[in-house]
Amino acid sequence: MKKSRTASALPAILAIGAVLISVPLVAGYWGRLHPAFDAMAHFRMHLAVLIAILSLPLIFIRGWRQIGAAGTVLGLAALSATLLPGQNAAGTARAEAADMPAARYRLLQMNLRYDNPTPKQVFSLIGQTRPDIVTLNEVSSMWVEELKFLEATYPYRVICPPPARIGGVAILSRRPFASSSAYACYDRGSMAVATVRLGADPVEIAALHLGWPWPYEQHRQVERVTPVLQRLGKTAILAGDLNATPWSATAHRVAAAGELDLVPGVGPTWLKRLVPEPVRRVAGLPIDHVFSKGRIVPIAISRPQDAGSDHLPVLFEFGIMPDAEQNILEVKLAQNAG
């Protein structure tokens, strides 16, 4: 008797669960109205999958088929719309891919985890990937000391003083800075900007670490760093842990402030360290990002192996399109000289 009552109540339980989950899912699309809604948007994919799982069995139960179909369609529609390729621009220079620059560079973005117990894994990963530039988050006092081991390989650096226990951000570079003063820290060490000379091209590199979403200070922090983002040069790369998904209002605000394009294709990067890495790569939150603008040509983006943090690293390979205005000027000078 108990089993029959449970079985008869199951469709209602599934339907109520799907309806309840749909509330934060739909609210997440209104993230621009209030940061509380934007906080819900970060879990859009997970909520969409849950709604579809709860609704799908109802399609096969008489009297519940319409509700089941509606819930399944809602979940799948939200999931597919979020994952649509090309939702974010891949960089203003991608249209010129036929003229791919010969020189290629690598940027490695890592949230180190302030108390990472395996610094050697981080150094091993850097040695394997050999990035030209490394942007780092959660550079705690422990990491400030550990990073001294990389001084010979990455002599050009800016390490922002840790504002709190979890630490600040840092930029390490094999390539020289444009000048001895071409770097700065902002917002209590949560953002750094350095102008790095890649070949003949000065490129502004920014590292950013945003705090947690509402009710924490993420929304206000974006307001504080917006003036810095607006001053970024015409050709720039911003990388960091935004604690925000690519479809969130927060990510769009960062991109709009700096006139940046989000480089797509990173995928999930964060989940608790207790969760195995293969699960993190599928079910984690995509909150570590790379943005670019100007003459940067995105070539490839990937997630290398885990290095002991609760975030997966992000490796960005890119080129730099020739400066058309500079080329025209050189041609004119050559013609005048002739």
Side-chain angles (χ1 to χ4, degrees):
M1 185 63 114
K2 289 184 179 179
K3 287 186 179 180
S4 62
R5 287 181 179 178
T6 302
S8 62
L10 185 59
I13 295 172
L14 293 176
I16 292 171
V19 171
L20 291 176
I21 295 173
S22 69
V23 173
L25 174 67
V26 175
Y29 286 94
W30 298 90
R32 294 183 184 275
L33 295 182
H34 194 278
F37 296 151
D38 196 35
M40 300 176 191
H42 303 315
F43 300 95
R44 181 175 298 166
M45 290 179 59
H46 299 78
L47 295 173
V49 170
L50 280 175
I51 289 175
I53 290 174
L54 292 174
S55 300
L56 188 59
L58 297 176
I59 295 177
F60 305 98
I61 302 175
R62 182 175 299 177
W64 296 93
R65 290 172 181 170
Q66 290 183 335
I67 295 176
T72 303
V73 169
L74 174 63
L76 295 179
L79 192 63
S80 60
T82 303
L83 295 175
L84 273 178
Q87 183 179 14
N88 297 295
T92 54
R94 185 177 285 279
E96 311 285 343
D99 303 317
M100 188 69 70
R104 296 190 176 192
Y105 305 98
R106 287 183 167 190
L107 181 147
L108 181 66
Q109 153 62 26
M110 300 181 70
N111 182 315
L112 294 171
R113 175 75 190 190
Y114 69 96
D115 60 351
N116 190 328
T118 57
K120 289 184 179 179
Q121 288 189 26
V122 173
F123 300 148
S124 176
L125 177 65
I126 292 174
Q128 292 172 21
T129 56
R130 296 184 58 82
D132 298 275
I133 302 165
V134 184
T135 55
L136 301 171
N137 307 141
E138 295 198 20
V139 184
S140 60
S141 299
M142 178 271 285
W143 275 111
V144 171
E145 292 299 315
E146 292 288 346
L147 291 177
K148 291 179 179 178
F149 290 103
L150 296 176
E151 281 183 339
T153 309
Y154 293 90
Y156 308 99
R157 52 180 51 202
V158 49
I159 300 178
C160 298
R165 182 171 62 105
I166 65 168
V169 300
I171 299 173
L172 312 181
S173 178
R174 295 177 182 270
R175 311 282 178 157
F177 289 173
S179 70
S180 58
S181 59
Y183 62 87
C185 295
Y186 302 93
D187 192 42
R188 298 173 296 176
S190 68
M191 184 175 185
V193 179
T195 304
V196 179
R197 192 165 290 282
L198 298 175
D201 299 291
V203 177
E204 282 205 298
I205 306 295
L208 177 63
H209 186 197
L210 295 181
W212 288 359
W214 184 91
Y216 297 94
E217 66 164 3
Q218 183 182 96
H219 186 80
R220 296 188 297 274
Q221 189 179 359
V222 174
E223 292 178 351
R224 295 198 301 267
V225 301
T226 289
V228 184
L229 294 169
Q230 292 172 337
R231 294 196 300 268
L232 288 177
K234 293 182 179 180
T235 299
I237 298 172
L238 181 147
D241 168 17
L242 299 191
N243 276 304
T245 55
W247 53 82
S248 67
T250 295
H252 286 289
R253 289 175 66 203
V254 169
E259 297 182 344
L260 297 155
D261 293 320
L262 178 65
V263 180
V266 176
T269 56
W270 177 85
L271 205 57
K272 289 290 187 180
R273 284 187 295 177
L274 296 176
V275 178
E277 181 181 346
V279 178
R280 274 195 280 169
R281 289 182 178 272
V282 176
L285 283 174
I287 60 175
D288 296 86
H289 307 293
V290 176
F291 299 79
S292 68
K293 66 186 292 189
R295 295 186 291 116
I296 299 298
V297 182
I299 296 173
I301 195 160
S302 61
R303 295 167 295 168
Q305 72 268 22
D306 176 30
S309 174
D310 50 351
H311 291 250
L312 293 174
V314 178
L315 184 63
F316 177 49
E317 187 175 358
F318 63 96
I320 304 175
M321 292 298 298
D323 188 339
E325 294 180 0
Q326 182 64 28
N327 289 345
I328 292 173
L329 179 60
E330 291 176 357
V331 170
K332 288 183 177 179
L333 290 175
Q335 289 175 344
N336 292 337

